[in-house]
């Protein structure tokens, strides 16, 4: 089987070389591979040809031609590139500065973040930035972005949508869509596709039956369906049953508790950022209890449907009380078998050496929610699944794109060893941490 794959890769290389792409051979020698799918493979040589992982063999067991670049990394740890599954750099560019965003792109890539999922911003900026990065004109991760969908009242009031559609307006921008019962859904999804978004994000004020119709059409046209776990007015179980691929935010699960009522909260809007927490948490939070059978039913439905939970744990890190509730919910869901991705929905200060994703990953382990191995899966393979690129990205396996990081110490012993990163490899391109 490995031979067949190698032959296919060679054919691929020959085809590619005509396109003027640089031919690259690289061997990472003597590394311990943590593959992103819960396996640790000690002492391997990882062979990369033209940005694709072509072989993972016992160290020293293969023939190495002279032309190959060999990195002797004996005892180091290789992981898949990290995936930030919830960010809004597009908002940052609109409300703060593009310079800050370029610094974030740089910090991300030198910290091993090779892919980000942008969850609602200005598609013009996202596709422009993505092109510059793809051409190696700017260092940064690959960008996959969403179009934002919401009910009419939300779209009228939400400051962020007004920012994200500057110069064209909320009514006309195809990457921000107002959802109504009588709309032409096929046309609307086709317009989203035209922006180069790869997913729709359902935000607030959309009934579950419409979420289902939008999701079915998105899938038909090759897009992913991403949604808040509670979209209002319906309960999260209805959103999961509508068939979305990924649900966002831990707080969404609170609204499954029969003691709280999401229908009284429509529409959920951000007329200012100060009221954000009031808008998303039930006012009678003390009544919310993860032990409620209906909440457990929600988790079971997520497991049965393979729905990924983009938990944005970072939102709770700064508030001890909320953090405890979040942790209770997530421990319970993880025990049931729900898969999480690591998205932060937040930027720490740009002067910090590592992005907010590191805080999210460490907190999920330190609060006893995921093991080191599980959080690595969440930040790599499950992250790739949120975007739908798991066949080509998200793990260190033969045939996958060579997006990887090299660490000096083992993150399985101590998750903070992620900070011992020495190298990021993205599509065969090397970013040495010492150059950051
Ligand atoms: Zn968000």
């Amino acid at each position: 089987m490995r031979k067949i794959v190698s032959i296919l890769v060679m054919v691929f290389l020959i085809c590619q070389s005509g396109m003027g792409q640089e031919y690259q051979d690289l061997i990472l020698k003597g590394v311990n591979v943590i593959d992103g799918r819960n396996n640790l493979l000690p002492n391997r040589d990882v062979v990369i040809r033209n940005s694709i992982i072509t072989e993972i063999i016992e160290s020293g067991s293969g023939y190495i031609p002279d032309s190959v670049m060999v990195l002797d990394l004996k005892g180091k740890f290789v992981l898949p590139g990290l995936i930030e599954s919830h960010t809004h750099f597009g908002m940052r560019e609109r409300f703060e500065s593009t310079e800050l965003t370029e610094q974030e792109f740089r910090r991300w890539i030198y910290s091993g973040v090779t892919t980000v999922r942008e969850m609602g911003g200005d598609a013009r900026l996202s596709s422009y930035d993505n092109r510059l990065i793809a051409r190696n004109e700017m260092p940064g991760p690959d960008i996959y972005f969403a179009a934002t969908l919401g009910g009419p009242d939300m779209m009228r009031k939400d400051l962020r949508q007004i920012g994200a559609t500057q110069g064209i307006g909320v009514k006309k921008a195809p990457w921000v869509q107002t959802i109504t019962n009588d709309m032409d859904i096929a046309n609307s999804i086709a317009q989203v596709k035209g922006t180069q978004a790869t997913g729709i994000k359902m935000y607030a004020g959309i009934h579950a039956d419409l979420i289902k119709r939008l999701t079915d059409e998105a899938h038909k046209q090759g897009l992913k369906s991403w949604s808040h776990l509670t979209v209002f007015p319906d309960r999260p179980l209805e959103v999961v049953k509508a068939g979305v691929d990924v649900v966002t935010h831990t707080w969404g699960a609170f609204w499954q508790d029969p003691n709280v009522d999401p229908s009284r909260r429509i529409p959920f809007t951000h007329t200012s950022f100060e009221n954000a927490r009031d808008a998303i948490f039930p006012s009678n939070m003390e009544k919310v209890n993860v032990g409620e059978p209906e909440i457990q039913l929600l988790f079971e439905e997520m497991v049965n449907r393979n729905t990924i939970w983009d938990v944005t744990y970072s939102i709770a890190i700064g508030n001890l009380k909320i953090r405890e509730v979040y942790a209770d919910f997530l421990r319970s869901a993880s025990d049931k078998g729900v898969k999480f991705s690591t998205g932060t929905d937040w930027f720490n200060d740009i002067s910090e050496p590592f992005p907010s994703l590191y805080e999210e990953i460490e907190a999920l382990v330190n609060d006893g929610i995921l093991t080191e191995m599980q959080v690595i899966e969440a930040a790599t393979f499950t992250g790739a699944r949120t975007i739908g690129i798991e066949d080509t990205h998200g793990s260190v396996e033969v045939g996958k794109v060579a997006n990887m990081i090299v660490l000096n110490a083992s993150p399985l012993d101590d998750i903070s060893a992620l900070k011992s990163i020495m190298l990021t490899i993205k599509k065969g391109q090397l970013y040495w941490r010492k150059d950051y």
Side-chain angles (χ1 to χ4, degrees):
M1 183 57 196
R2 181 174 289 162
K3 275 233 168 71
I4 297 171
V5 172
S6 298
I7 290 163
L8 286 176
V9 169
M10 286 311 291
V11 171
F12 175 69
L13 288 181
I14 292 159
C15 297
Q16 288 283 299
S17 61
M19 292 158 68
Q21 233 177 350
E22 217 177 294
Y23 182 85
Q24 257 185 351
D25 274 3
L26 178 66
I27 295 181
L28 312 181
K29 208 167 160 32
V31 292
N32 304 305
V33 174
I34 300 169
D35 70 354
R37 305 191 70 178
N38 298 315
N39 301 300
L40 167 67
L41 314 166
N43 198 29
R44 304 292 152 132
D45 292 345
V46 178
V47 182
I48 300 164
R49 292 207 177 112
N50 203 32
S51 315
I52 304 286
I53 301 166
T54 57
E55 283 183 272
I56 301 171
I57 53 174
E58 214 166 296
S59 187
S61 67
Y63 163 74
I64 302 176
D66 287 345
S67 59
V68 177
M69 177 176 168
V70 179
L71 294 178
D72 191 355
L73 298 171
K74 190 145 184 58
K76 312 282 187 206
F77 291 80
V78 166
L79 280 66
L82 304 176
I83 298 179
E84 158 67 89
S85 68
H86 195 123
T87 187
H88 293 279
F89 66 81
M91 293 291 176
R92 190 178 216 180
E93 285 187 71
R94 279 291 175 223
F95 290 110
E96 294 178 69
S97 79
T98 50
E99 257 165 56
L100 211 50
T101 299
E102 284 170 24
Q103 288 170 30
E104 189 67 66
F105 287 147
R106 193 179 158 77
R107 179 168 65 164
W108 268 329
I109 198 72
Y110 282 96
S111 303
V113 181
T114 51
T115 306
V116 298
R117 193 171 67 126
E118 154 69 52
M119 287 304 282
D122 189 331
R124 294 165 295 188
L125 294 172
S126 302
S127 58
Y128 179 76
D129 289 336
N130 202 25
R131 258 197 310 278
L132 290 184
I133 290 168
R135 288 192 206 133
N136 285 327
E137 288 171 25
M138 177 165 72
D142 291 338
I143 298 162
Y144 294 83
F145 59 92
T148 307
L149 277 50
D153 202 28
M154 171 206 158
M155 286 303 180
R156 261 197 302 276
K157 292 177 186 167
D158 196 311
L159 291 175
R160 297 164 307 170
Q161 309 315 323
I162 294 164
T165 57
Q166 232 170 44
I168 175 168
V170 173
K171 282 187 181 153
K172 285 188 182 165
W175 59 90
V176 174
Q177 299 228 2
T178 306
I179 303 304
T180 57
N181 258 315
D182 55 356
M183 71 189 296
D184 179 347
I185 286 181
N187 179 53
S188 152
I189 297 291
Q191 284 194 44
V192 168
K193 226 177 136 91
T195 68
Q196 296 178 25
T198 63
I200 52 171
K201 179 193 182 179
M202 283 158 292
Y203 202 95
I206 312 173
H207 273 282
D209 56 335
L210 257 177
I211 292 176
K212 177 163 177 23
R213 282 166 60 201
L214 289 160
T215 296
D216 289 348
E217 186 60 34
H219 287 162
K220 206 166 134 188
Q221 296 195 34
L223 297 179
K224 283 281 166 185
S225 173
W226 302 323
S227 173
H228 275 167
L229 177 48
T230 292
V231 177
F232 302 99
D234 294 315
R235 290 199 190 271
L237 184 59
E238 302 311 309
V239 174
V240 171
K241 282 183 172 170
V244 303
D245 302 298
V246 184
V247 289
T248 284
H249 299 314
T250 301
W251 57 258
F254 301 162
W255 294 99
Q256 192 61 41
D257 190 305
N259 294 306
V260 303
D261 184 0
S263 71
R264 290 167 184 276
R265 272 299 167 90
I266 31 174
F268 165 44
T269 61
H270 275 338
T271 47
S272 76
F273 292 101
E274 284 79 56
N275 68 6
R277 191 152 280 172
D278 294 338
I280 57 180
F281 292 159
S283 44
N284 46 346
M285 261 302 282
E286 71 286 348
K287 290 195 174 160
V288 168
N289 174 10
V290 70
E292 284 289 346
E294 294 193 25
I295 294 175
Q296 294 300 314
L297 210 65
L298 169 69
F299 296 158
E300 278 162 31
E301 189 70 19
M302 288 166 77
V303 172
N304 291 340
R305 290 180 173 270
N306 243 325
T307 315
I308 299 167
W309 198 356
D310 164 37
V311 293
T312 62
Y313 193 56
S314 296
I315 293 176
I317 286 177
N319 182 325
L320 262 185
K321 225 173 134 195
I322 292 294
R323 185 171 178 164
E324 272 173 33
V325 183
Y326 266 53
D328 276 349
F329 270 70
L330 295 180
R331 272 190 292 262
S332 175
S334 181
D335 285 348
K336 272 227 143 61
V338 176
K339 293 283 188 186
F340 304 159
S341 67
T342 50
T344 63
D345 203 14
W346 176 67
F347 296 106
N348 59 1
D349 198 274
I350 197 68
S351 63
E352 295 285 332
F354 295 97
S356 53
L357 181 60
Y358 276 57
E359 292 170 43
E360 167 112 356
I361 289 172
E362 286 186 22
L364 284 167
V365 173
N366 293 338
D367 292 357
I369 297 163
L370 297 179
T371 64
E372 288 83 353
M373 195 62 117
Q374 284 174 322
V375 86
I376 290 168
E377 182 193 29
T380 60
F381 189 69
T382 308
R385 279 181 53 215
T386 66
I387 303 166
I389 55 171
E390 68 274 21
D391 290 342
T392 48
H393 295 72
S395 60
V396 180
E397 289 180 287
V398 169
K400 293 251 175 147
V401 174
N403 286 2
M404 290 181 277
I405 59 177
V406 182
L407 310 179
N408 280 306
S410 173
L412 297 179
D413 297 336
D414 178 357
I415 195 64
S416 70
L418 276 180
K419 289 178 177 151
S420 72
I421 185 167
M422 59 181 290
L423 173 65
T424 304
I425 305 173
K426 196 189 107 190
K427 290 180 183 153
Q429 194 94 11
L430 309 185
Y431 302 87
W432 294 93
R433 178 71 191 188
K434 63 177 168 49
D435 297 332
Y436 176 57

